[in-house]
């Protein structure tokens, strides 16, 4: 099985000795089970990362994991199902990777643009650029505007390539013509789509249980409005980006007729 992951929560002021020993014991048991079943744990591909707030004080001593004869030191960035996650969850590496990959595709298509139709160009851009822009983009919700602006410029370049619009011409009519939501709204749309699916039981329970319907203690008009409970986050940088909070905030902002749509 690829991409098997283990997680453990460590509080900032807690000693790291016990949690790390638990992870080592877990890895040891996995390795032993695999040996018994004629499999091998690939220690070269086993990675260890600590997710922590950027502003949190650094540890006096870097922790590590002992896996058999190998020593695992914390990685700065790991790839999780094609998504680059850095230790501070800034998603900056992922955004830059998307931009690099997509501009490469845009340049390739651009060289052939004069020889293909607008529809063919749109199909190519949709398959090689927009699909990358949309992949796992729910993780990019709530990022600083500077990062989202980079992605918006990328989308604008893709739209200009299809429509042959010049650099300084207004791009909004082109996006409307292509039926493309701007990047910020694409992220909101994806969060709301998952919220809708959560409420209708078509997502796994570990996601659906993060969405809680608002049930007033007495009969109020809001009882029929399909509102969600908005939990308060401790931090804007991380808390407001979490699905549990973002889903409720965005969902409650929708018009009543959309929230109640079947």
């Amino acid at each position: 099985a690829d991409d098997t992951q283990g997680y453990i929560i460590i509080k900032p002021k807690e000693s790291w000795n016990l949690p790390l020993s638990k992870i080592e014991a877990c890895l040891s048991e996995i390795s032993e089970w695999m040996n018994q079943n004629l499999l091998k744990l690939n220690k070269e591909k086993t990675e260890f990362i600590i997710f922590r707030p950027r502003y949190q004080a650094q540890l006096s001593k870097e922790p590590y994991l002992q896996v058999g004869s190998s020593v695992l030191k914390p990685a700065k960035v790991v790839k999780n199902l094609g998504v680059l996650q850095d230790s501070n969850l800034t998603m900056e590496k992922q955004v830059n990777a998307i931009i690099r990959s997509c501009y490469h595709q845009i340049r390739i298509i651009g060289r052939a643009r004069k020889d293909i139709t607008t529809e063919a160009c749109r199909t190519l851009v949709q398959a090689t650029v927009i699909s990358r822009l949309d992949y796992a983009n729910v993780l990019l919700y709530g990022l600083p505007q500077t990062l989202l602006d980079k992605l918006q410029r990328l989308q604008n370049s893709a739209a200009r390539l299809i429509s042959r619009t010049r650099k300084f011409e207004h791009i909004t009519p082109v996006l409307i013509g292509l039926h493309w939501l701007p990047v910020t709204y694409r992220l909101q749309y994806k969060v709301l789509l998952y919220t809708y699916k959560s409420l209708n039981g078509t997502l796994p329970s570990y996601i659906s249980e993060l969405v809680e319907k608002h049930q007033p203690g007495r009969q109020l008009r809001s009882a029929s409005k399909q509102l969600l409970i908005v939990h308060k986050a401790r931090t804007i940088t991380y808390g407001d980006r979490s699905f549990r909070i973002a889903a409720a905030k965005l969902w409650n902002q929708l018009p009543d007729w959309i929230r109640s749509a079947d």
Side-chain angles (χ1 to χ4, degrees), residues 182-240:
V183 168
T184 299
Y185 298 111
R186 294 177 96 85
L187 308 185
Q188 292 181 11
Y189 173 77
K190 187 67 72 70
V191 174
L192 287 166
L193 184 65
Y194 286 158
T195 307
Y196 176 83
K197 288 184 174 183
S198 297
L199 291 169
N200 287 275
T202 57
L203 284 184
S205 59
Y206 64 84
I207 297 178
S208 299
E209 66 191 14
L210 298 174
V211 175
E212 301 174 62
K213 287 185 179 180
H214 174 64
Q215 302 287 354
R218 52 197 176 88
Q219 192 61 34
L220 300 172
R221 279 184 296 176
S222 61
S224 61
K225 290 191 174 183
Q226 299 286 338
L227 296 172
L228 301 178
I229 297 173
V230 180
H231 294 275
K232 189 174 181 180
R234 286 187 299 168
T235 63
I236 295 174
T237 310
Y238 297 101
D240 280 359

Short mmCIF file of all heavy atoms in Angstrom, two decimals, residues 182-240:
data_model
loop_
_atom_site.label_atom_id
_atom_site.label_comp_id
_atom_site.label_asym_id
_atom_site.label_seq_id
_atom_site.Cartn_x
_atom_site.Cartn_y
_atom_site.Cartn_z
N PRO A 182 -12.94 33.09 -11.41
CA PRO A 182 -11.61 33.50 -10.96
C PRO A 182 -11.13 32.60 -9.82
O PRO A 182 -11.94 31.94 -9.15
CB PRO A 182 -11.83 34.94 -10.47
CG PRO A 182 -13.04 35.41 -11.22
CD PRO A 182 -13.91 34.19 -11.37
N VAL A 183 -9.84 32.57 -9.59
CA VAL A 183 -9.22 31.61 -8.66
C VAL A 183 -9.84 31.66 -7.27
O VAL A 183 -10.18 30.62 -6.70
CB VAL A 183 -7.69 31.86 -8.58
CG1 VAL A 183 -7.08 31.08 -7.42
CG2 VAL A 183 -7.03 31.46 -9.89
N THR A 184 -10.00 32.84 -6.70
CA THR A 184 -10.56 32.96 -5.34
C THR A 184 -11.91 32.27 -5.25
O THR A 184 -12.20 31.55 -4.28
CB THR A 184 -10.70 34.43 -4.93
OG1 THR A 184 -9.39 35.03 -4.94
CG2 THR A 184 -11.27 34.56 -3.53
N TYR A 185 -12.75 32.47 -6.26
CA TYR A 185 -14.09 31.87 -6.24
C TYR A 185 -14.06 30.38 -6.56
O TYR A 185 -14.94 29.64 -6.14
CB TYR A 185 -15.00 32.63 -7.21
CG TYR A 185 -15.19 34.08 -6.82
CD1 TYR A 185 -14.65 35.09 -7.59
CD2 TYR A 185 -15.87 34.41 -5.65
CE1 TYR A 185 -14.80 36.42 -7.22
CE2 TYR A 185 -16.02 35.73 -5.27
CZ TYR A 185 -15.49 36.74 -6.05
OH TYR A 185 -15.63 38.04 -5.68
N ARG A 186 -13.04 29.94 -7.29
CA ARG A 186 -12.89 28.49 -7.54
C ARG A 186 -12.65 27.77 -6.21
O ARG A 186 -13.15 26.67 -5.99
CB ARG A 186 -11.73 28.22 -8.50
CG ARG A 186 -11.94 28.73 -9.89
CD ARG A 186 -10.71 28.48 -10.76
NE ARG A 186 -10.87 27.26 -11.54
CZ ARG A 186 -11.48 27.18 -12.71
NH1 ARG A 186 -12.03 28.26 -13.23
NH2 ARG A 186 -11.57 26.05 -13.36
N LEU A 187 -11.84 28.39 -5.35
CA LEU A 187 -11.55 27.78 -4.05
C LEU A 187 -12.82 27.74 -3.18
O LEU A 187 -13.11 26.74 -2.53
CB LEU A 187 -10.45 28.56 -3.33
CG LEU A 187 -9.15 28.83 -4.10
CD1 LEU A 187 -8.13 29.50 -3.20
CD2 LEU A 187 -8.58 27.55 -4.71
N GLN A 188 -13.56 28.85 -3.19
CA GLN A 188 -14.80 28.89 -2.42
C GLN A 188 -15.80 27.86 -2.94
O GLN A 188 -16.47 27.18 -2.16
CB GLN A 188 -15.41 30.29 -2.48
CG GLN A 188 -14.59 31.36 -1.77
CD GLN A 188 -15.24 32.72 -1.83
OE1 GLN A 188 -16.40 32.86 -2.24
NE2 GLN A 188 -14.49 33.75 -1.46
N TYR A 189 -15.87 27.76 -4.25
CA TYR A 189 -16.79 26.80 -4.87
C TYR A 189 -16.46 25.37 -4.43
O TYR A 189 -17.35 24.58 -4.11
CB TYR A 189 -16.71 26.92 -6.39
CG TYR A 189 -17.49 25.86 -7.13
CD1 TYR A 189 -18.88 25.94 -7.25
CD2 TYR A 189 -16.85 24.75 -7.69
CE1 TYR A 189 -19.60 24.96 -7.92
CE2 TYR A 189 -17.56 23.77 -8.35
CZ TYR A 189 -18.93 23.88 -8.46
OH TYR A 189 -19.65 22.91 -9.09
N LYS A 190 -15.16 25.04 -4.40
CA LYS A 190 -14.77 23.68 -4.02
C LYS A 190 -15.13 23.39 -2.55
O LYS A 190 -15.63 22.31 -2.23
CB LYS A 190 -13.26 23.50 -4.24
CG LYS A 190 -12.75 22.08 -4.05
CD LYS A 190 -13.27 21.11 -5.09
CE LYS A 190 -12.65 21.31 -6.45
NZ LYS A 190 -11.26 20.94 -6.55
N VAL A 191 -14.89 24.37 -1.66
CA VAL A 191 -15.26 24.19 -0.25
C VAL A 191 -16.77 23.98 -0.13
O VAL A 191 -17.24 23.09 0.59
CB VAL A 191 -14.83 25.41 0.59
CG1 VAL A 191 -15.36 25.29 2.02
CG2 VAL A 191 -13.31 25.53 0.62
N LEU A 192 -17.55 24.79 -0.85
CA LEU A 192 -19.01 24.70 -0.78
C LEU A 192 -19.51 23.39 -1.39
O LEU A 192 -20.49 22.81 -0.91
CB LEU A 192 -19.64 25.89 -1.51
CG LEU A 192 -19.52 27.22 -0.76
CD1 LEU A 192 -19.85 28.39 -1.67
CD2 LEU A 192 -20.42 27.23 0.47
N LEU A 193 -18.86 22.92 -2.42
CA LEU A 193 -19.24 21.65 -3.03
C LEU A 193 -19.07 20.50 -2.03
O LEU A 193 -19.96 19.65 -1.87
CB LEU A 193 -18.38 21.39 -4.28
CG LEU A 193 -18.70 20.14 -5.09
CD1 LEU A 193 -20.08 20.23 -5.71
CD2 LEU A 193 -17.66 19.94 -6.18
N TYR A 194 -17.93 20.51 -1.32
CA TYR A 194 -17.70 19.48 -0.29
C TYR A 194 -18.68 19.63 0.87
O TYR A 194 -19.10 18.63 1.48
CB TYR A 194 -16.26 19.56 0.22
CG TYR A 194 -15.22 19.04 -0.75
CD1 TYR A 194 -13.89 19.42 -0.65
CD2 TYR A 194 -15.57 18.15 -1.76
CE1 TYR A 194 -12.94 18.95 -1.54
CE2 TYR A 194 -14.63 17.67 -2.64
CZ TYR A 194 -13.32 18.07 -2.53
OH TYR A 194 -12.37 17.59 -3.41
N THR A 195 -19.05 20.86 1.18
CA THR A 195 -20.03 21.09 2.26
C THR A 195 -21.37 20.50 1.87
O THR A 195 -22.02 19.81 2.67
CB THR A 195 -20.18 22.60 2.53
OG1 THR A 195 -18.89 23.18 2.76
CG2 THR A 195 -21.05 22.85 3.75
N TYR A 196 -21.80 20.77 0.65
CA TYR A 196 -23.07 20.23 0.16
C TYR A 196 -23.07 18.70 0.19
O TYR A 196 -24.02 18.06 0.64
CB TYR A 196 -23.33 20.73 -1.27
CG TYR A 196 -24.57 20.15 -1.90
CD1 TYR A 196 -25.82 20.69 -1.65
CD2 TYR A 196 -24.48 19.04 -2.73
CE1 TYR A 196 -26.97 20.15 -2.22
CE2 TYR A 196 -25.61 18.48 -3.30
CZ TYR A 196 -26.85 19.04 -3.04
OH TYR A 196 -27.98 18.49 -3.59
N LYS A 197 -21.96 18.11 -0.27
CA LYS A 197 -21.87 16.65 -0.29
C LYS A 197 -21.85 16.09 1.13
O LYS A 197 -22.40 15.01 1.39
CB LYS A 197 -20.61 16.21 -1.05
CG LYS A 197 -20.71 16.43 -2.55
CD LYS A 197 -19.48 15.90 -3.28
CE LYS A 197 -19.65 15.99 -4.78
NZ LYS A 197 -18.49 15.42 -5.50
N SER A 198 -21.21 16.82 2.05
CA SER A 198 -21.18 16.39 3.45
C SER A 198 -22.59 16.35 4.03
O SER A 198 -22.97 15.41 4.73
CB SER A 198 -20.31 17.33 4.29
OG SER A 198 -18.97 17.30 3.87
N LEU A 199 -23.37 17.39 3.75
CA LEU A 199 -24.74 17.48 4.28
C LEU A 199 -25.65 16.43 3.67
O LEU A 199 -26.66 16.05 4.26
CB LEU A 199 -25.31 18.88 4.01
CG LEU A 199 -24.66 20.02 4.80
CD1 LEU A 199 -25.12 21.36 4.27
CD2 LEU A 199 -24.97 19.89 6.29
N ASN A 200 -25.29 15.95 2.48
CA ASN A 200 -26.14 14.97 1.79
C ASN A 200 -25.57 13.56 1.84
O ASN A 200 -26.01 12.68 1.10
CB ASN A 200 -26.37 15.41 0.34
CG ASN A 200 -27.31 16.60 0.24
OD1 ASN A 200 -28.52 16.44 0.22
ND2 ASN A 200 -26.75 17.81 0.21
N GLY A 201 -24.56 13.36 2.70
CA GLY A 201 -24.07 12.01 2.97
C GLY A 201 -23.32 11.34 1.85
O GLY A 201 -23.30 10.12 1.77
N THR A 202 -22.68 12.12 0.98
CA THR A 202 -21.93 11.50 -0.12
C THR A 202 -20.42 11.64 0.05
O THR A 202 -19.67 11.38 -0.88
CB THR A 202 -22.34 12.10 -1.48
OG1 THR A 202 -22.13 13.51 -1.45
CG2 THR A 202 -23.81 11.82 -1.78
N LEU A 203 -19.98 12.05 1.22
CA LEU A 203 -18.55 12.11 1.54
C LEU A 203 -18.28 11.21 2.74
O LEU A 203 -19.18 10.90 3.52
CB LEU A 203 -18.13 13.55 1.86
CG LEU A 203 -17.97 14.53 0.69
CD1 LEU A 203 -17.45 15.86 1.20
CD2 LEU A 203 -17.02 13.99 -0.37
N PRO A 204 -17.03 10.77 2.94
CA PRO A 204 -16.70 9.94 4.09
C PRO A 204 -17.07 10.63 5.40
O PRO A 204 -17.06 11.87 5.49
CB PRO A 204 -15.19 9.74 3.97
CG PRO A 204 -14.87 10.00 2.53
CD PRO A 204 -15.87 11.01 2.07
N SER A 205 -17.34 9.83 6.42
CA SER A 205 -17.81 10.38 7.70
C SER A 205 -16.78 11.29 8.36
O SER A 205 -17.14 12.25 9.04
CB SER A 205 -18.16 9.23 8.66
OG SER A 205 -17.02 8.41 8.87
N TYR A 206 -15.47 11.02 8.13
CA TYR A 206 -14.46 11.86 8.78
C TYR A 206 -14.46 13.28 8.24
O TYR A 206 -13.90 14.19 8.87
CB TYR A 206 -13.06 11.24 8.67
CG TYR A 206 -12.50 11.12 7.28
CD1 TYR A 206 -11.85 12.19 6.66
CD2 TYR A 206 -12.59 9.92 6.58
CE1 TYR A 206 -11.33 12.07 5.38
CE2 TYR A 206 -12.08 9.79 5.30
CZ TYR A 206 -11.44 10.87 4.71
OH TYR A 206 -10.95 10.75 3.45
N ILE A 207 -15.08 13.50 7.08
CA ILE A 207 -15.27 14.87 6.57
C ILE A 207 -16.65 15.38 6.96
O ILE A 207 -16.80 16.49 7.45
CB ILE A 207 -15.10 14.92 5.04
CG1 ILE A 207 -13.68 14.52 4.65
CG2 ILE A 207 -15.40 16.33 4.51
CD1 ILE A 207 -13.43 14.50 3.16
N SER A 208 -17.67 14.54 6.78
CA SER A 208 -19.04 14.96 7.06
C SER A 208 -19.24 15.35 8.52
O SER A 208 -20.02 16.27 8.81
CB SER A 208 -20.02 13.82 6.71
OG SER A 208 -19.93 13.52 5.33
N GLU A 209 -18.54 14.69 9.44
CA GLU A 209 -18.73 15.00 10.86
C GLU A 209 -18.17 16.37 11.25
O GLU A 209 -18.44 16.87 12.34
CB GLU A 209 -18.10 13.92 11.73
CG GLU A 209 -16.59 13.84 11.63
CD GLU A 209 -16.01 12.60 12.29
OE1 GLU A 209 -16.78 11.67 12.61
OE2 GLU A 209 -14.79 12.58 12.50
N LEU A 210 -17.41 17.00 10.34
CA LEU A 210 -16.89 18.35 10.60
C LEU A 210 -17.96 19.42 10.35
O LEU A 210 -17.79 20.57 10.74
CB LEU A 210 -15.68 18.63 9.71
CG LEU A 210 -14.46 17.72 9.91
CD1 LEU A 210 -13.40 18.03 8.87
CD2 LEU A 210 -13.88 17.89 11.31
N VAL A 211 -19.04 19.03 9.68
CA VAL A 211 -20.11 19.97 9.33
C VAL A 211 -21.30 19.72 10.26
O VAL A 211 -21.86 18.63 10.26
CB VAL A 211 -20.53 19.80 7.86
CG1 VAL A 211 -21.72 20.68 7.52
CG2 VAL A 211 -19.37 20.10 6.94
N GLU A 212 -21.68 20.72 11.06
CA GLU A 212 -22.76 20.55 12.05
C GLU A 212 -23.90 21.52 11.75
O GLU A 212 -23.70 22.73 11.66
CB GLU A 212 -22.23 20.82 13.46
CG GLU A 212 -21.08 19.90 13.88
CD GLU A 212 -20.50 20.31 15.22
OE1 GLU A 212 -21.24 20.27 16.21
OE2 GLU A 212 -19.31 20.69 15.25
N LYS A 213 -25.11 20.97 11.62
CA LYS A 213 -26.28 21.80 11.37
C LYS A 213 -26.66 22.59 12.61
O LYS A 213 -26.54 22.11 13.73
CB LYS A 213 -27.46 20.93 10.93
CG LYS A 213 -27.32 20.39 9.51
CD LYS A 213 -28.58 19.64 9.10
CE LYS A 213 -28.47 19.11 7.67
NZ LYS A 213 -29.67 18.39 7.26
N HIS A 214 -27.12 23.82 12.38
CA HIS A 214 -27.57 24.67 13.48
C HIS A 214 -28.99 24.27 13.88
O HIS A 214 -29.90 24.30 13.06
CB HIS A 214 -27.55 26.14 13.04
CG HIS A 214 -28.14 27.09 14.04
ND1 HIS A 214 -27.59 27.29 15.28
CD2 HIS A 214 -29.24 27.89 13.98
CE1 HIS A 214 -28.31 28.16 15.95
NE2 HIS A 214 -29.32 28.54 15.18
N GLN A 215 -29.15 23.86 15.13
CA GLN A 215 -30.46 23.45 15.64
C GLN A 215 -30.84 24.37 16.80
O GLN A 215 -30.39 24.19 17.93
CB GLN A 215 -30.42 21.98 16.14
CG GLN A 215 -29.99 20.96 15.09
CD GLN A 215 -31.05 20.72 14.06
OE1 GLN A 215 -32.17 21.23 14.16
NE2 GLN A 215 -30.73 19.95 13.02
N PRO A 216 -31.67 25.41 16.54
CA PRO A 216 -32.04 26.32 17.62
C PRO A 216 -32.83 25.61 18.71
O PRO A 216 -33.55 24.64 18.44
CB PRO A 216 -32.89 27.38 16.90
CG PRO A 216 -33.27 26.80 15.61
CD PRO A 216 -32.27 25.75 15.26
N GLY A 217 -32.67 26.09 19.95
CA GLY A 217 -33.35 25.47 21.09
C GLY A 217 -34.85 25.58 21.05
O GLY A 217 -35.56 24.75 21.60
N ARG A 218 -35.37 26.62 20.38
CA ARG A 218 -36.82 26.77 20.23
C ARG A 218 -37.13 27.06 18.76
O ARG A 218 -36.22 27.31 17.97
CB ARG A 218 -37.36 27.87 21.14
CG ARG A 218 -36.65 29.19 21.02
CD ARG A 218 -36.96 30.10 22.22
NE ARG A 218 -36.21 31.34 22.16
CZ ARG A 218 -36.61 32.44 21.55
NH1 ARG A 218 -37.77 32.45 20.91
NH2 ARG A 218 -35.88 33.53 21.55
N GLN A 219 -38.41 27.00 18.42
CA GLN A 219 -38.81 27.15 17.03
C GLN A 219 -38.56 28.58 16.54
O GLN A 219 -39.23 29.52 16.96
CB GLN A 219 -40.29 26.77 16.86
CG GLN A 219 -40.74 26.62 15.42
CD GLN A 219 -39.96 25.52 14.69
OE1 GLN A 219 -39.61 24.51 15.30
NE2 GLN A 219 -39.70 25.71 13.41
N LEU A 220 -37.57 28.72 15.66
CA LEU A 220 -37.26 30.01 15.07
C LEU A 220 -37.28 29.90 13.56
O LEU A 220 -37.20 28.80 13.00
CB LEU A 220 -35.87 30.47 15.54
CG LEU A 220 -35.66 30.65 17.05
CD1 LEU A 220 -34.19 30.91 17.34
CD2 LEU A 220 -36.50 31.80 17.57
N ARG A 221 -37.36 31.06 12.90
CA ARG A 221 -37.37 31.04 11.43
C ARG A 221 -36.07 30.47 10.87
O ARG A 221 -36.03 29.87 9.81
CB ARG A 221 -37.58 32.46 10.90
CG ARG A 221 -39.02 32.88 10.91
CD ARG A 221 -39.20 34.25 10.28
NE ARG A 221 -38.52 35.29 11.04
CZ ARG A 221 -38.45 36.56 10.67
NH1 ARG A 221 -39.00 36.94 9.53
NH2 ARG A 221 -37.84 37.45 11.40
N SER A 222 -34.97 30.64 11.63
CA SER A 222 -33.67 30.15 11.15
C SER A 222 -33.59 28.62 11.12
O SER A 222 -32.69 28.06 10.50
CB SER A 222 -32.54 30.69 12.05
OG SER A 222 -32.71 30.24 13.38
N ALA A 223 -34.56 27.94 11.77
CA ALA A 223 -34.52 26.48 11.82
C ALA A 223 -34.67 25.86 10.45
O ALA A 223 -34.18 24.76 10.19
CB ALA A 223 -35.63 25.97 12.75
N SER A 224 -35.35 26.55 9.54
CA SER A 224 -35.59 26.00 8.20
C SER A 224 -34.60 26.52 7.17
O SER A 224 -34.76 26.26 5.98
CB SER A 224 -37.02 26.35 7.76
OG SER A 224 -37.17 27.76 7.71
N LYS A 225 -33.58 27.25 7.62
CA LYS A 225 -32.67 27.88 6.67
C LYS A 225 -31.41 27.06 6.39
O LYS A 225 -30.52 27.52 5.69
CB LYS A 225 -32.27 29.27 7.19
CG LYS A 225 -33.43 30.26 7.14
CD LYS A 225 -32.94 31.67 7.40
CE LYS A 225 -34.05 32.68 7.19
NZ LYS A 225 -33.56 34.07 7.37
N GLN A 226 -31.32 25.87 6.94
CA GLN A 226 -30.18 24.99 6.67
C GLN A 226 -28.84 25.65 7.03
O GLN A 226 -27.86 25.52 6.30
CB GLN A 226 -30.17 24.57 5.19
CG GLN A 226 -31.38 23.80 4.73
CD GLN A 226 -31.39 22.37 5.22
OE1 GLN A 226 -30.37 21.80 5.56
NE2 GLN A 226 -32.57 21.78 5.26
N LEU A 227 -28.83 26.35 8.15
CA LEU A 227 -27.59 27.01 8.58
C LEU A 227 -26.68 26.03 9.30
O LEU A 227 -27.14 25.01 9.82
CB LEU A 227 -27.91 28.19 9.49
CG LEU A 227 -28.69 29.35 8.85
CD1 LEU A 227 -29.11 30.36 9.91
CD2 LEU A 227 -27.87 30.02 7.77
N LEU A 228 -25.40 26.35 9.34
CA LEU A 228 -24.41 25.51 10.03
C LEU A 228 -23.86 26.25 11.24
O LEU A 228 -23.84 27.48 11.28
CB LEU A 228 -23.27 25.14 9.08
CG LEU A 228 -23.64 24.38 7.82
CD1 LEU A 228 -22.40 24.14 6.97
CD2 LEU A 228 -24.33 23.06 8.13
N ILE A 229 -23.38 25.49 12.22
CA ILE A 229 -22.74 26.08 13.39
C ILE A 229 -21.36 26.58 13.00
O ILE A 229 -20.57 25.83 12.43
CB ILE A 229 -22.62 25.04 14.53
CG1 ILE A 229 -24.01 24.58 14.98
CG2 ILE A 229 -21.83 25.61 15.71
CD1 ILE A 229 -23.98 23.43 15.98
N VAL A 230 -21.08 27.85 13.29
CA VAL A 230 -19.77 28.43 12.99
C VAL A 230 -18.94 28.42 14.27
O VAL A 230 -19.24 29.14 15.22
CB VAL A 230 -19.89 29.88 12.47
CG1 VAL A 230 -18.51 30.44 12.16
CG2 VAL A 230 -20.77 29.92 11.22
N HIS A 231 -17.93 27.59 14.29
CA HIS A 231 -17.05 27.52 15.46
C HIS A 231 -16.02 28.64 15.39
O HIS A 231 -15.63 29.09 14.30
CB HIS A 231 -16.35 26.16 15.51
CG HIS A 231 -17.29 25.03 15.75
ND1 HIS A 231 -17.70 24.64 17.00
CD2 HIS A 231 -17.93 24.20 14.86
CE1 HIS A 231 -18.54 23.62 16.90
NE2 HIS A 231 -18.70 23.34 15.61
N LYS A 232 -15.57 29.08 16.54
CA LYS A 232 -14.59 30.15 16.59
C LYS A 232 -13.19 29.57 16.52
O LYS A 232 -12.85 28.65 17.25
CB LYS A 232 -14.76 30.97 17.88
CG LYS A 232 -13.92 32.23 17.91
CD LYS A 232 -14.23 33.07 19.13
CE LYS A 232 -13.39 34.35 19.13
NZ LYS A 232 -13.66 35.19 20.32
N ALA A 233 -12.37 30.15 15.64
CA ALA A 233 -10.99 29.68 15.50
C ALA A 233 -10.08 30.44 16.45
O ALA A 233 -10.31 31.62 16.74
CB ALA A 233 -10.52 29.88 14.06
N ARG A 234 -9.04 29.77 16.90
CA ARG A 234 -8.07 30.44 17.77
C ARG A 234 -7.13 31.30 16.95
O ARG A 234 -6.60 32.29 17.44
CB ARG A 234 -7.28 29.41 18.57
CG ARG A 234 -8.07 28.77 19.69
CD ARG A 234 -7.19 27.89 20.56
NE ARG A 234 -6.59 26.81 19.80
CZ ARG A 234 -5.60 26.04 20.23
NH1 ARG A 234 -5.08 26.27 21.42
NH2 ARG A 234 -5.13 25.07 19.49
N THR A 235 -6.89 30.91 15.69
CA THR A 235 -5.97 31.68 14.85
C THR A 235 -6.59 31.89 13.47
O THR A 235 -7.32 31.04 12.97
CB THR A 235 -4.63 30.95 14.67
OG1 THR A 235 -4.85 29.71 13.99
CG2 THR A 235 -3.96 30.68 16.01
N ILE A 236 -6.27 33.03 12.86
CA ILE A 236 -6.73 33.31 11.50
C ILE A 236 -5.89 32.54 10.49
O ILE A 236 -6.39 31.97 9.53
CB ILE A 236 -6.66 34.83 11.22
CG1 ILE A 236 -7.64 35.57 12.12
CG2 ILE A 236 -6.95 35.12 9.75
CD1 ILE A 236 -7.54 37.08 12.03
N THR A 237 -4.57 32.50 10.75
CA THR A 237 -3.64 31.89 9.80
C THR A 237 -3.96 30.43 9.51
O THR A 237 -3.91 29.99 8.37
CB THR A 237 -2.20 31.99 10.33
OG1 THR A 237 -1.95 33.33 10.73
CG2 THR A 237 -1.19 31.58 9.26
N TYR A 238 -4.32 29.68 10.56
CA TYR A 238 -4.59 28.26 10.38
C TYR A 238 -6.05 27.91 10.64
O TYR A 238 -6.67 27.18 9.87
CB TYR A 238 -3.69 27.44 11.32
CG TYR A 238 -2.22 27.60 11.02
CD1 TYR A 238 -1.42 28.44 11.78
CD2 TYR A 238 -1.63 26.93 9.96
CE1 TYR A 238 -0.06 28.60 11.50
CE2 TYR A 238 -0.29 27.07 9.66
CZ TYR A 238 0.49 27.92 10.44
OH TYR A 238 1.82 28.07 10.14
N GLY A 239 -6.61 28.44 11.72
CA GLY A 239 -7.97 28.07 12.11
C GLY A 239 -9.02 28.41 11.09
O GLY A 239 -9.87 27.60 10.74
N ASP A 240 -8.96 29.63 10.56
CA ASP A 240 -9.96 30.07 9.58
C ASP A 240 -9.83 29.34 8.25
O ASP A 240 -10.76 29.35 7.44
CB ASP A 240 -9.87 31.58 9.35
CG ASP A 240 -10.55 32.37 10.46
OD1 ASP A 240 -11.09 31.73 11.38
OD2 ASP A 240 -10.53 33.61 10.41
#
